[in-house]
Amino acid sequence: VRRLFPANVYVQRLLDRLEALGVGFGISTEPGQWLYHPGYRTLWVWEPDLRTQPLSYLVVILAHELGHVLDFDENPHYRAITRDLHWTAVPDEIECSAFVRGFLLLRELAVPIHLGQYLAMIETPMAAQVGWELLTRYPWALATPSAGGPGHPAARRPAS
């Protein structure tokens, strides 16, 4: 499956990290969905996206799924929480954490994407929650010249 990805340097950095973590790849059978399964340690890729989506989308979805890999590795109780859930019922806390970890990973891998671009790829209201978490818990991650600022609409406290 890896050979189907674009030969973009940033996509390849993310794929290298997934492989370094021992994550395999498979083709997703859920229409439109990319899904990480911790039990199989596999990222199921929606193959049509590799031909139809822009590179920025591929970077964000890979970062998000890598966030899940790291979260499931560090929080074994996430497996118990999600074991019997359909992917649509995964708690927002777990999804938000994966997006936050994904953005931090993009910073670590020197992928030039700013907060506004990242949040634009995430559905509302999750984008607001992710933006708020990043701005309040990880402001240092936004201190790069390419980082978006707190003026982005999603960087406001999420509605309760």
Side-chain angles (χ1 to χ4, degrees), residues 58-79:
L58 298 177
V59 165
V60 170
I61 193 75
L62 283 168
H64 173 70
E65 297 304 331
L66 252 164
H68 278 308
V69 172
L70 297 171
D71 278 348
F72 276 99
D73 286 353
E74 292 178 16
N75 301 289
H77 67 282
Y78 279 7
R79 283 186 186 207

Side-chain angles (χ1 to χ4, degrees), residues 4-158:
L4 300 174
F5 282 86
N8 173 273
V9 65
Y10 304 117
V11 169
Q12 294 303 313
R13 283 181 193 169
L14 292 159
L15 295 173
D16 289 345
R17 181 61 61 93
L18 281 161
E19 286 187 347
L21 291 168
V23 176
F25 301 96
I27 300 295
S28 176
T29 57
E30 287 284 335
Q33 296 303 310
W34 294 56
L35 303 165
Y36 172 65
H37 193 292
Y40 296 110
R41 203 150 183 84
T42 299
L43 173 57
W44 302 100
V45 175
W46 182 243
E47 189 266 336
D49 283 348
L50 300 177
R51 293 185 314 273
T52 62
Q53 292 296 329
L55 285 172
S56 56
Y57 174 85
L58 298 177
V59 165
V60 170
I61 193 75
L62 283 168
H64 173 70
E65 297 304 331
L66 252 164
H68 278 308
V69 172
L70 297 171
D71 278 348
F72 276 99
D73 286 353
E74 292 178 16
N75 301 289
H77 67 282
Y78 279 7
R79 283 186 186 207
I81 292 169
T82 61
R83 180 171 294 120
D84 297 321
L85 295 179
H86 187 266
W87 62 267
T88 59
V90 171
D92 284 351
E93 168 193 327
I94 292 174
E95 288 301 316
C96 181
S97 179
F99 277 117
V100 169
R101 294 289 296 265
F103 186 78
L104 298 176
L105 185 66
L106 292 175
R107 284 288 179 254
E108 178 187 327
L109 296 175
V111 176
I113 185 170
H114 63 73
L115 181 61
Q117 292 169 316
Y118 188 74
L119 296 175
M121 298 282 183
I122 304 170
E123 291 183 16
T124 310
M126 181 59 68
Q129 189 175 348
V130 170
W132 183 254
E133 286 289 317
L134 286 165
L135 288 168
T136 58
R137 295 183 60 204
Y138 303 98
W140 55 265
L142 309 176
T144 62
S146 64
H152 187 277
R156 289 187 240 116
R157 178 183 292 278

